[in-house]
Amino acid sequence: MEPKKVVDPRTFAKGTVADAFSTYKNIGNVLPAMGYDEVQLKDLEETIQSTPCDIVIIATPINLQHLIRIDKECCRVRYELQEIGTPTLYEILQNKFGTKTSPKFVPLEQPVSPM
């Protein structure tokens, strides 16, 4: 059975998930990535459980199924960022936040030295 359409979860959003949709109006038809504290996890679980869908696609770096109950079929996807052109993500972050970056964050074009 092939999926027929992507479900817009906004109508079913609970608590902090609904707040995120109100704050960031251009998120699109996806659930927003958040900090996942106890309240956010509860709201995310309730949002997913109340959304009528056949499958939940999990595209977060962590496996949400280890943090919340999802009583629907799930498919976990992964992705990588390949920068093509400029500005790079590193440049955008430097422009926005200045020169203080985490020592663990090194742009790919710079070699990583052993600690």
Side-chain angles (χ1 to χ4, degrees), residues 7-74:
V7 177
D8 188 342
R10 288 173 237 256
T11 307
F12 311 99
K14 310 292 184 208
T16 55
V17 176
D19 295 342
F21 278 123
S22 293
T23 302
Y24 306 100
K25 299 193 184 308
N26 61 347
I27 289 176
N29 290 351
V30 298
L31 290 173
M34 302 187 321
Y36 301 130
D37 65 25
E38 190 174 317
V39 172
Q40 292 169 331
L41 287 170
K42 178 182 144 304
D43 294 342
L44 181 62
E45 181 178 305
E46 288 178 5
T47 298
I48 292 171
Q49 298 299 60
S50 67
T51 302
C53 62
D54 297 321
I55 188 167
V56 175
I57 299 172
I58 300 173
T60 61
I62 59 170
N63 188 347
L64 289 175
Q65 290 176 289
H66 292 292
L67 300 175
I68 63 173
R69 179 180 55 91
I70 303 175
D71 294 337
K72 299 172 188 298
E73 184 178 346
C74 294

Side-chain angles (χ1 to χ4, degrees), residues 41-114:
L41 287 170
K42 178 182 144 304
D43 294 342
L44 181 62
E45 181 178 305
E46 288 178 5
T47 298
I48 292 171
Q49 298 299 60
S50 67
T51 302
C53 62
D54 297 321
I55 188 167
V56 175
I57 299 172
I58 300 173
T60 61
I62 59 170
N63 188 347
L64 289 175
Q65 290 176 289
H66 292 292
L67 300 175
I68 63 173
R69 179 180 55 91
I70 303 175
D71 294 337
K72 299 172 188 298
E73 184 178 346
C74 294
C75 176
R76 189 157 179 231
V77 297
R78 299 173 192 268
Y79 53 90
E80 293 182 13
L81 171 67
Q82 179 182 359
E83 294 180 327
I84 301 172
T86 57
T88 64
L89 177 59
Y90 181 76
E91 292 167 341
I92 292 168
L93 293 174
Q94 286 289 0
N95 289 336
K96 181 154 181 77
F97 300 109
T99 58
K100 293 183 180 183
T101 58
S102 167
K104 293 182 182 178
F105 177 74
V106 178
L108 293 178
E109 55 271 310
Q110 294 181 11
V112 177
S113 59

